[in-house]
mmCIF file of all heavy atoms in Angstrom:
data_model
loop_
_atom_site.group_PDB
_atom_site.id
_atom_site.type_symbol
_atom_site.label_atom_id
_atom_site.label_comp_id
_atom_site.label_asym_id
_atom_site.label_seq_id
_atom_site.Cartn_x
_atom_site.Cartn_y
_atom_site.Cartn_z
ATOM 1 N N HIS A 830 0.826 -1.243 -0.032
ATOM 2 C CA HIS A 830 -0.030 0.002 -0.048
ATOM 3 C C HIS A 830 0.879 1.251 0.056
ATOM 4 O O HIS A 830 1.767 1.361 0.894
ATOM 5 C CB HIS A 830 -0.853 0.034 1.255
ATOM 6 C CG HIS A 830 -1.851 -1.070 1.341
ATOM 7 N ND1 HIS A 830 -2.992 -0.991 2.149
ATOM 8 C CD2 HIS A 830 -1.918 -2.321 0.770
ATOM 9 C CE1 HIS A 830 -3.645 -2.125 2.072
ATOM 10 N NE2 HIS A 830 -3.006 -2.984 1.202
ATOM 11 N N THR A 831 0.724 2.128 -0.955
ATOM 12 C CA THR A 831 1.440 3.343 -1.007
ATOM 13 C C THR A 831 0.425 4.498 -1.230
ATOM 14 O O THR A 831 -0.794 4.180 -1.328
ATOM 15 C CB THR A 831 2.464 3.368 -2.162
ATOM 16 O OG1 THR A 831 1.741 3.528 -3.429
ATOM 17 C CG2 THR A 831 3.357 2.195 -2.200
ATOM 18 N N ALA A 832 0.864 5.724 -1.254
ATOM 19 C CA ALA A 832 -0.039 6.867 -1.528
ATOM 20 C C ALA A 832 -0.597 6.808 -2.970
ATOM 21 O O ALA A 832 -1.679 7.348 -3.160
ATOM 22 C CB ALA A 832 0.646 8.107 -1.300
ATOM 23 N N GLN A 833 0.061 6.139 -3.869
ATOM 24 C CA GLN A 833 -0.325 6.060 -5.261
ATOM 25 C C GLN A 833 -1.188 4.827 -5.626
ATOM 26 O O GLN A 833 -1.999 4.946 -6.491
ATOM 27 C CB GLN A 833 0.905 6.047 -6.182
ATOM 28 C CG GLN A 833 1.720 7.366 -6.149
ATOM 29 C CD GLN A 833 2.618 7.395 -4.935
ATOM 30 O OE1 GLN A 833 3.110 6.381 -4.461
ATOM 31 N NE2 GLN A 833 2.879 8.619 -4.345
ATOM 32 N N PHE A 834 -0.989 3.749 -4.918
ATOM 33 C CA PHE A 834 -1.681 2.488 -5.335
ATOM 34 C C PHE A 834 -1.658 1.475 -4.233
ATOM 35 O O PHE A 834 -0.994 1.633 -3.223
ATOM 36 C CB PHE A 834 -0.969 1.867 -6.568
ATOM 37 C CG PHE A 834 0.464 1.492 -6.347
ATOM 38 C CD1 PHE A 834 0.742 0.261 -5.754
ATOM 39 C CD2 PHE A 834 1.469 2.281 -6.772
ATOM 40 C CE1 PHE A 834 2.075 -0.097 -5.549
ATOM 41 C CE2 PHE A 834 2.796 2.003 -6.525
ATOM 42 C CZ PHE A 834 3.067 0.701 -5.922
ATOM 43 N N LYS A 835 -2.574 0.447 -4.432
ATOM 44 C CA LYS A 835 -2.481 -0.797 -3.644
ATOM 45 C C LYS A 835 -2.216 -1.911 -4.580
ATOM 46 O O LYS A 835 -2.897 -2.065 -5.570
ATOM 47 C CB LYS A 835 -3.812 -0.999 -2.910
ATOM 48 C CG LYS A 835 -4.014 0.023 -1.795
ATOM 49 C CD LYS A 835 -5.303 -0.255 -1.021
ATOM 50 C CE LYS A 835 -5.519 0.808 0.047
ATOM 51 N NZ LYS A 835 -6.802 0.615 0.751
ATOM 52 N N ARG A 836 -1.237 -2.735 -4.280
ATOM 53 C CA ARG A 836 -0.863 -3.856 -5.162
ATOM 54 C C ARG A 836 -0.924 -5.162 -4.396
ATOM 55 O O ARG A 836 -0.397 -5.269 -3.264
ATOM 56 C CB ARG A 836 0.529 -3.568 -5.727
ATOM 57 C CG ARG A 836 1.066 -4.770 -6.584
ATOM 58 C CD ARG A 836 2.423 -4.471 -7.145
ATOM 59 N NE ARG A 836 2.253 -3.353 -8.053
ATOM 60 C CZ ARG A 836 3.141 -2.399 -8.253
ATOM 61 N NH1 ARG A 836 4.247 -2.398 -7.574
ATOM 62 N NH2 ARG A 836 2.926 -1.413 -9.138
ATOM 63 N N ARG A 837 -1.559 -6.190 -4.988
ATOM 64 C CA ARG A 837 -1.571 -7.513 -4.386
ATOM 65 C C ARG A 837 -0.749 -8.476 -5.308
ATOM 66 O O ARG A 837 -1.025 -8.491 -6.523
ATOM 67 C CB ARG A 837 -2.924 -8.066 -4.107
ATOM 68 C CG ARG A 837 -2.935 -9.439 -3.397
ATOM 69 C CD ARG A 837 -4.220 -9.867 -2.839
ATOM 70 N NE ARG A 837 -4.580 -9.200 -1.609
ATOM 71 C CZ ARG A 837 -5.102 -9.808 -0.613
ATOM 72 N NH1 ARG A 837 -5.286 -11.132 -0.579
ATOM 73 N NH2 ARG A 837 -5.362 -9.164 0.493
ATOM 74 N N GLU A 838 0.128 -9.193 -4.712
ATOM 75 C CA GLU A 838 0.954 -10.169 -5.469
ATOM 76 C C GLU A 838 0.479 -11.538 -4.981
ATOM 77 O O GLU A 838 0.470 -11.854 -3.781
ATOM 78 C CB GLU A 838 2.466 -9.990 -5.211
ATOM 79 C CG GLU A 838 2.976 -8.598 -5.583
ATOM 80 C CD GLU A 838 4.326 -8.290 -5.090
ATOM 81 O OE1 GLU A 838 4.961 -9.105 -4.349
ATOM 82 O OE2 GLU A 838 4.820 -7.144 -5.356
ATOM 83 N N TYR A 839 0.177 -12.406 -5.952
ATOM 84 C CA TYR A 839 -0.363 -13.753 -5.640
ATOM 85 C C TYR A 839 0.831 -14.758 -5.799
ATOM 86 O O TYR A 839 1.730 -14.544 -6.610
ATOM 87 C CB TYR A 839 -1.502 -14.095 -6.521
ATOM 88 C CG TYR A 839 -2.702 -13.228 -6.322
ATOM 89 C CD1 TYR A 839 -2.842 -12.028 -6.968
ATOM 90 C CD2 TYR A 839 -3.688 -13.590 -5.416
ATOM 91 C CE1 TYR A 839 -3.924 -11.188 -6.729
ATOM 92 C CE2 TYR A 839 -4.793 -12.753 -5.151
ATOM 93 C CZ TYR A 839 -4.919 -11.534 -5.828
ATOM 94 O OH TYR A 839 -5.964 -10.726 -5.620
ATOM 95 N N PRO A 840 0.760 -15.891 -5.111
ATOM 96 C CA PRO A 840 1.814 -16.915 -5.191
ATOM 97 C C PRO A 840 2.070 -17.383 -6.660
ATOM 98 O O PRO A 840 3.159 -17.793 -6.983
ATOM 99 C CB PRO A 840 1.306 -18.112 -4.297
ATOM 100 C CG PRO A 840 0.352 -17.398 -3.362
ATOM 101 C CD PRO A 840 -0.273 -16.294 -4.159
ATOM 102 N N ASP A 841 1.024 -17.381 -7.490
ATOM 103 C CA ASP A 841 1.196 -17.812 -8.876
ATOM 104 C C ASP A 841 1.888 -16.800 -9.785
ATOM 105 O O ASP A 841 2.069 -17.086 -10.972
ATOM 106 C CB ASP A 841 -0.148 -18.285 -9.491
ATOM 107 C CG ASP A 841 -1.071 -17.125 -9.790
ATOM 108 O OD1 ASP A 841 -0.729 -15.969 -9.489
ATOM 109 O OD2 ASP A 841 -2.185 -17.338 -10.286
ATOM 110 N N GLY A 842 2.242 -15.625 -9.237
ATOM 111 C CA GLY A 842 2.928 -14.652 -10.001
ATOM 112 C C GLY A 842 1.983 -13.484 -10.502
ATOM 113 O O GLY A 842 2.409 -12.532 -11.025
ATOM 114 N N THR A 843 0.663 -13.720 -10.368
ATOM 115 C CA THR A 843 -0.280 -12.671 -10.749
ATOM 116 C C THR A 843 -0.094 -11.442 -9.848
ATOM 117 O O THR A 843 0.065 -11.579 -8.680
ATOM 118 C CB THR A 843 -1.739 -13.128 -10.701
ATOM 119 O OG1 THR A 843 -1.865 -14.325 -11.512
ATOM 120 C CG2 THR A 843 -2.780 -12.081 -11.100
ATOM 121 N N VAL A 844 -0.181 -10.216 -10.510
ATOM 122 C CA VAL A 844 -0.035 -8.991 -9.720
ATOM 123 C C VAL A 844 -1.260 -8.124 -10.124
ATOM 124 O O VAL A 844 -1.464 -7.770 -11.335
ATOM 125 C CB VAL A 844 1.253 -8.246 -10.077
ATOM 126 C CG1 VAL A 844 1.308 -6.959 -9.330
ATOM 127 C CG2 VAL A 844 2.447 -9.150 -9.692
ATOM 128 N N LYS A 845 -1.978 -7.661 -9.094
ATOM 129 C CA LYS A 845 -3.123 -6.802 -9.347
ATOM 130 C C LYS A 845 -2.953 -5.498 -8.626
ATOM 131 O O LYS A 845 -2.599 -5.454 -7.419
ATOM 132 C CB LYS A 845 -4.450 -7.432 -8.830
ATOM 133 C CG LYS A 845 -5.655 -6.618 -9.109
ATOM 134 C CD LYS A 845 -6.979 -7.314 -8.693
ATOM 135 C CE LYS A 845 -8.160 -6.460 -9.098
ATOM 136 N NZ LYS A 845 -9.429 -7.181 -8.829
ATOM 137 N N THR A 846 -3.013 -4.376 -9.407
ATOM 138 C CA THR A 846 -2.775 -3.015 -8.831
ATOM 139 C C THR A 846 -3.996 -2.206 -8.997
ATOM 140 O O THR A 846 -4.551 -2.161 -10.073
ATOM 141 C CB THR A 846 -1.584 -2.413 -9.563
ATOM 142 O OG1 THR A 846 -0.439 -3.287 -9.495
ATOM 143 C CG2 THR A 846 -1.230 -1.038 -8.923
ATOM 144 N N VAL A 847 -4.413 -1.516 -7.896
ATOM 145 C CA VAL A 847 -5.548 -0.611 -7.955
ATOM 146 C C VAL A 847 -4.928 0.761 -7.608
ATOM 147 O O VAL A 847 -4.321 0.984 -6.585
ATOM 148 C CB VAL A 847 -6.602 -0.957 -6.895
ATOM 149 C CG1 VAL A 847 -7.763 0.068 -6.989
ATOM 150 C CG2 VAL A 847 -7.146 -2.378 -7.149
ATOM 151 N N TYR A 848 -5.074 1.714 -8.632
ATOM 152 C CA TYR A 848 -4.497 3.076 -8.442
ATOM 153 C C TYR A 848 -5.503 3.955 -7.700
ATOM 154 O O TYR A 848 -6.724 3.629 -7.707
ATOM 155 C CB TYR A 848 -4.119 3.630 -9.803
ATOM 156 C CG TYR A 848 -3.015 2.807 -10.459
ATOM 157 C CD1 TYR A 848 -3.320 1.791 -11.343
ATOM 158 C CD2 TYR A 848 -1.685 3.098 -10.156
ATOM 159 C CE1 TYR A 848 -2.240 1.009 -11.915
ATOM 160 C CE2 TYR A 848 -0.667 2.279 -10.691
ATOM 161 C CZ TYR A 848 -0.970 1.260 -11.585
ATOM 162 O OH TYR A 848 0.021 0.539 -12.131
ATOM 163 N N MET A 849 -5.050 5.038 -7.210
ATOM 164 C CA MET A 849 -5.891 5.983 -6.448
ATOM 165 C C MET A 849 -7.008 6.503 -7.255
ATOM 166 O O MET A 849 -8.097 6.833 -6.753
ATOM 167 C CB MET A 849 -5.048 7.084 -5.834
ATOM 168 C CG MET A 849 -4.211 6.651 -4.590
ATOM 169 S SD MET A 849 -5.261 5.919 -3.278
ATOM 170 C CE MET A 849 -4.495 4.372 -3.044
ATOM 171 N N ASN A 850 -6.886 6.623 -8.549
ATOM 172 C CA ASN A 850 -7.938 7.065 -9.472
ATOM 173 C C ASN A 850 -8.971 6.056 -9.731
ATOM 174 O O ASN A 850 -9.949 6.279 -10.478
ATOM 175 C CB ASN A 850 -7.403 7.658 -10.727
ATOM 176 C CG ASN A 850 -6.702 6.618 -11.583
ATOM 177 O OD1 ASN A 850 -6.745 5.431 -11.300
ATOM 178 N ND2 ASN A 850 -6.139 7.033 -12.681
ATOM 179 N N GLY A 851 -8.836 4.800 -9.151
ATOM 180 C CA GLY A 851 -9.780 3.763 -9.300
ATOM 181 C C GLY A 851 -9.436 2.760 -10.470
ATOM 182 O O GLY A 851 -10.041 1.669 -10.550
ATOM 183 N N GLN A 852 -8.462 3.106 -11.258
ATOM 184 C CA GLN A 852 -8.094 2.213 -12.370
ATOM 185 C C GLN A 852 -7.399 1.010 -11.798
ATOM 186 O O GLN A 852 -6.683 1.056 -10.807
ATOM 187 C CB GLN A 852 -7.096 2.936 -13.336
ATOM 188 C CG GLN A 852 -6.754 2.122 -14.485
ATOM 189 C CD GLN A 852 -5.824 2.961 -15.538
ATOM 190 O OE1 GLN A 852 -6.223 4.013 -15.884
ATOM 191 N NE2 GLN A 852 -4.707 2.382 -15.883
ATOM 192 N N GLN A 853 -7.743 -0.129 -12.510
ATOM 193 C CA GLN A 853 -7.138 -1.431 -12.034
ATOM 194 C C GLN A 853 -6.378 -2.076 -13.157
ATOM 195 O O GLN A 853 -6.736 -2.024 -14.281
ATOM 196 C CB GLN A 853 -8.254 -2.453 -11.652
ATOM 197 C CG GLN A 853 -9.166 -2.010 -10.535
ATOM 198 C CD GLN A 853 -10.311 -2.979 -10.286
ATOM 199 O OE1 GLN A 853 -10.209 -4.163 -10.594
ATOM 200 N NE2 GLN A 853 -11.411 -2.496 -9.752
ATOM 201 N N GLU A 854 -5.227 -2.626 -12.771
ATOM 202 C CA GLU A 854 -4.314 -3.312 -13.757
ATOM 203 C C GLU A 854 -3.967 -4.652 -13.159
ATOM 204 O O GLU A 854 -3.497 -4.766 -12.020
ATOM 205 C CB GLU A 854 -3.070 -2.442 -13.894
ATOM 206 C CG GLU A 854 -2.038 -3.099 -14.819
ATOM 207 C CD GLU A 854 -0.732 -2.257 -14.847
ATOM 208 O OE1 GLU A 854 -0.712 -1.334 -15.641
ATOM 209 O OE2 GLU A 854 0.147 -2.517 -14.073
ATOM 210 N N THR A 855 -4.254 -5.731 -14.015
ATOM 211 C CA THR A 855 -3.868 -7.067 -13.602
ATOM 212 C C THR A 855 -2.834 -7.589 -14.546
ATOM 213 O O THR A 855 -3.081 -7.611 -15.751
ATOM 214 C CB THR A 855 -5.121 -7.983 -13.525
ATOM 215 O OG1 THR A 855 -6.117 -7.391 -12.681
ATOM 216 C CG2 THR A 855 -4.764 -9.324 -12.962
ATOM 217 N N LYS A 856 -1.688 -8.053 -14.028
ATOM 218 C CA LYS A 856 -0.612 -8.688 -14.861
ATOM 219 C C LYS A 856 -0.556 -10.129 -14.515
ATOM 220 O O LYS A 856 -0.372 -10.452 -13.324
ATOM 221 C CB LYS A 856 0.724 -8.036 -14.575
ATOM 222 C CG LYS A 856 0.812 -6.547 -15.057
ATOM 223 C CD LYS A 856 2.213 -6.012 -14.827
ATOM 224 C CE LYS A 856 2.323 -4.548 -15.284
ATOM 225 N NZ LYS A 856 3.631 -4.004 -15.074
ATOM 226 N N TYR A 857 -0.800 -10.963 -15.493
ATOM 227 C CA TYR A 857 -0.765 -12.474 -15.273
ATOM 228 C C TYR A 857 0.555 -12.970 -15.593
ATOM 229 O O TYR A 857 1.364 -12.369 -16.394
ATOM 230 C CB TYR A 857 -1.885 -13.154 -16.143
ATOM 231 C CG TYR A 857 -3.266 -12.653 -15.781
ATOM 232 C CD1 TYR A 857 -3.852 -11.606 -16.445
ATOM 233 C CD2 TYR A 857 -3.985 -13.253 -14.784
ATOM 234 C CE1 TYR A 857 -5.128 -11.121 -16.198
ATOM 235 C CE2 TYR A 857 -5.283 -12.809 -14.436
ATOM 236 C CZ TYR A 857 -5.781 -11.747 -15.138
ATOM 237 O OH TYR A 857 -7.057 -11.252 -14.835
ATOM 238 N N VAL A 858 0.927 -14.154 -15.005
ATOM 239 C CA VAL A 858 2.210 -14.738 -15.263
ATOM 240 C C VAL A 858 2.420 -15.111 -16.673
ATOM 241 O O VAL A 858 3.586 -15.178 -17.140
ATOM 242 C CB VAL A 858 2.362 -15.952 -14.280
ATOM 243 C CG1 VAL A 858 1.656 -17.178 -14.751
ATOM 244 C CG2 VAL A 858 3.853 -16.320 -14.073
ATOM 245 N N SER A 859 1.313 -15.300 -17.491
ATOM 246 C CA SER A 859 1.436 -15.619 -18.865
ATOM 247 C C SER A 859 1.887 -14.471 -19.701
ATOM 248 O O SER A 859 2.218 -14.598 -20.889
ATOM 249 C CB SER A 859 0.072 -16.121 -19.377
ATOM 250 O OG SER A 859 -0.876 -14.950 -19.310
ATOM 251 N N GLY A 860 1.880 -13.259 -19.098
ATOM 252 C CA GLY A 860 2.266 -12.050 -19.833
ATOM 253 C C GLY A 860 1.025 -11.204 -20.211
ATOM 254 O O GLY A 860 1.151 -10.054 -20.633
ATOM 255 N N ARG A 861 -0.169 -11.728 -20.057
ATOM 256 C CA ARG A 861 -1.404 -11.030 -20.277
ATOM 257 C C ARG A 861 -1.536 -9.845 -19.324
ATOM 258 O O ARG A 861 -1.200 -9.995 -18.125
ATOM 259 C CB ARG A 861 -2.539 -11.973 -20.119
ATOM 260 C CG ARG A 861 -3.952 -11.300 -20.270
ATOM 261 C CD ARG A 861 -5.055 -12.301 -19.974
ATOM 262 N NE ARG A 861 -6.353 -11.677 -19.990
ATOM 263 C CZ ARG A 861 -7.474 -12.197 -19.560
ATOM 264 N NH1 ARG A 861 -7.411 -13.432 -19.021
ATOM 265 N NH2 ARG A 861 -8.590 -11.520 -19.565
ATOM 266 N N ILE A 862 -2.040 -8.668 -19.814
ATOM 267 C CA ILE A 862 -2.288 -7.533 -19.013
ATOM 268 C C ILE A 862 -3.695 -7.100 -19.269
ATOM 269 O O ILE A 862 -4.109 -6.944 -20.402
ATOM 270 C CB ILE A 862 -1.304 -6.391 -19.313
ATOM 271 C CG1 ILE A 862 0.140 -6.867 -19.072
ATOM 272 C CG2 ILE A 862 -1.612 -5.110 -18.541
ATOM 273 C CD1 ILE A 862 1.202 -5.853 -19.523
ATOM 274 N N ARG A 863 -4.432 -6.823 -18.186
ATOM 275 C CA ARG A 863 -5.823 -6.398 -18.356
ATOM 276 C C ARG A 863 -5.956 -5.117 -17.511
ATOM 277 O O ARG A 863 -5.551 -5.078 -16.324
ATOM 278 C CB ARG A 863 -6.813 -7.412 -17.874
ATOM 279 C CG ARG A 863 -8.277 -6.968 -18.077
ATOM 280 C CD ARG A 863 -9.321 -8.027 -17.700
ATOM 281 N NE ARG A 863 -9.171 -8.213 -16.234
ATOM 282 C CZ ARG A 863 -9.586 -9.299 -15.578
ATOM 283 N NH1 ARG A 863 -10.098 -10.347 -16.229
ATOM 284 N NH2 ARG A 863 -9.428 -9.431 -14.289
ATOM 285 N N VAL A 864 -6.524 -4.034 -18.096
ATOM 286 C CA VAL A 864 -6.715 -2.755 -17.408
ATOM 287 C C VAL A 864 -8.186 -2.410 -17.420
ATOM 288 O O VAL A 864 -8.884 -2.515 -18.464
ATOM 289 C CB VAL A 864 -5.871 -1.652 -18.064
ATOM 290 C CG1 VAL A 864 -6.101 -0.304 -17.376
ATOM 291 C CG2 VAL A 864 -4.330 -2.022 -18.137
ATOM 292 N N LYS A 865 -8.671 -2.041 -16.274
ATOM 293 C CA LYS A 865 -10.077 -1.596 -16.114
ATOM 294 C C LYS A 865 -10.092 -0.166 -15.617
ATOM 295 O O LYS A 865 -9.269 0.183 -14.804
ATOM 296 C CB LYS A 865 -10.833 -2.534 -15.136
ATOM 297 C CG LYS A 865 -11.049 -3.906 -15.535
ATOM 298 C CD LYS A 865 -11.778 -4.763 -14.493
ATOM 299 C CE LYS A 865 -11.941 -6.202 -14.882
ATOM 300 N NZ LYS A 865 -12.660 -6.867 -13.795
ATOM 301 N N ASP A 866 -11.178 0.587 -15.997
ATOM 302 C CA ASP A 866 -11.247 1.893 -15.493
ATOM 303 C C ASP A 866 -11.951 1.850 -14.162
ATOM 304 O O ASP A 866 -12.249 0.806 -13.630
ATOM 305 C CB ASP A 866 -12.094 2.846 -16.478
ATOM 306 C CG ASP A 866 -13.525 2.428 -16.680
ATOM 307 O OD1 ASP A 866 -14.051 1.630 -15.803
ATOM 308 O OD2 ASP A 866 -14.190 2.905 -17.642
ATOM 309 N N LYS A 867 -12.207 3.045 -13.523
ATOM 310 C CA LYS A 867 -12.669 3.034 -12.170
ATOM 311 C C LYS A 867 -14.051 2.483 -11.993
ATOM 312 O O LYS A 867 -14.475 1.996 -10.933
ATOM 313 C CB LYS A 867 -12.740 4.524 -11.636
ATOM 314 C CG LYS A 867 -13.608 5.408 -12.360
ATOM 315 C CD LYS A 867 -13.584 6.850 -11.769
ATOM 316 C CE LYS A 867 -14.400 7.867 -12.521
ATOM 317 N NZ LYS A 867 -15.798 7.537 -12.780
ATOM 318 N N ASP A 868 -14.830 2.338 -13.112
ATOM 319 C CA ASP A 868 -16.141 1.745 -13.055
ATOM 320 C C ASP A 868 -16.094 0.275 -13.384
ATOM 321 O O ASP A 868 -17.157 -0.400 -13.458
ATOM 322 C CB ASP A 868 -17.021 2.476 -14.023
ATOM 323 C CG ASP A 868 -17.227 3.943 -13.709
ATOM 324 O OD1 ASP A 868 -17.322 4.251 -12.532
ATOM 325 O OD2 ASP A 868 -17.124 4.744 -14.636
ATOM 326 N N GLY A 869 -14.933 -0.361 -13.620
ATOM 327 C CA GLY A 869 -14.851 -1.734 -13.949
ATOM 328 C C GLY A 869 -14.880 -2.117 -15.347
ATOM 329 O O GLY A 869 -14.942 -3.306 -15.745
ATOM 330 N N ASN A 870 -14.974 -1.137 -16.282
ATOM 331 C CA ASN A 870 -14.981 -1.405 -17.672
ATOM 332 C C ASN A 870 -13.550 -1.711 -18.210
ATOM 333 O O ASN A 870 -12.630 -0.970 -17.867
ATOM 334 C CB ASN A 870 -15.537 -0.151 -18.497
ATOM 335 C CG ASN A 870 -16.935 0.232 -17.994
ATOM 336 O OD1 ASN A 870 -17.785 -0.672 -17.857
ATOM 337 N ND2 ASN A 870 -17.143 1.466 -17.709
ATOM 338 N N ILE A 871 -13.408 -2.738 -18.965
ATOM 339 C CA ILE A 871 -12.172 -3.181 -19.546
ATOM 340 C C ILE A 871 -11.761 -2.144 -20.589
ATOM 341 O O ILE A 871 -12.461 -1.867 -21.509
ATOM 342 C CB ILE A 871 -12.167 -4.538 -20.141
ATOM 343 C CG1 ILE A 871 -12.468 -5.567 -19.027
ATOM 344 C CG2 ILE A 871 -10.849 -4.865 -20.787
ATOM 345 C CD1 ILE A 871 -12.702 -7.046 -19.501
#
């Protein structure tokens, strides 16, 4: 947890970051990246 974001790292290597503006970014171990806006829209 920082002033800019909250990031959760999972044992399988997945990393999910939620930024203060509500945007979400998920990086999967496969290399896939998914970004959602503050309302949950991809």
Side-chain angles (χ1 to χ4, degrees):
H830 297 199
T831 71
Q833 295 78 33
F834 62 83
K835 290 182 181 177
R836 175 177 295 145
R837 184 169 282 227
E838 301 168 359
Y839 295 87
D841 69 0
T843 301
V844 177
K845 182 174 184 175
T846 306
V847 179
Y848 296 94
M849 286 303 127
N850 64 6
Q852 183 173 311
Q853 299 176 27
E854 175 185 275
T855 306
K856 293 182 180 179
Y857 298 92
V858 77
S859 65
R861 175 183 174 195
I862 299 172
R863 185 177 65 202
V864 179
K865 295 180 180 179
D866 67 16
K867 63 178 176 54
D868 299 319
N870 302 311
I871 296 174

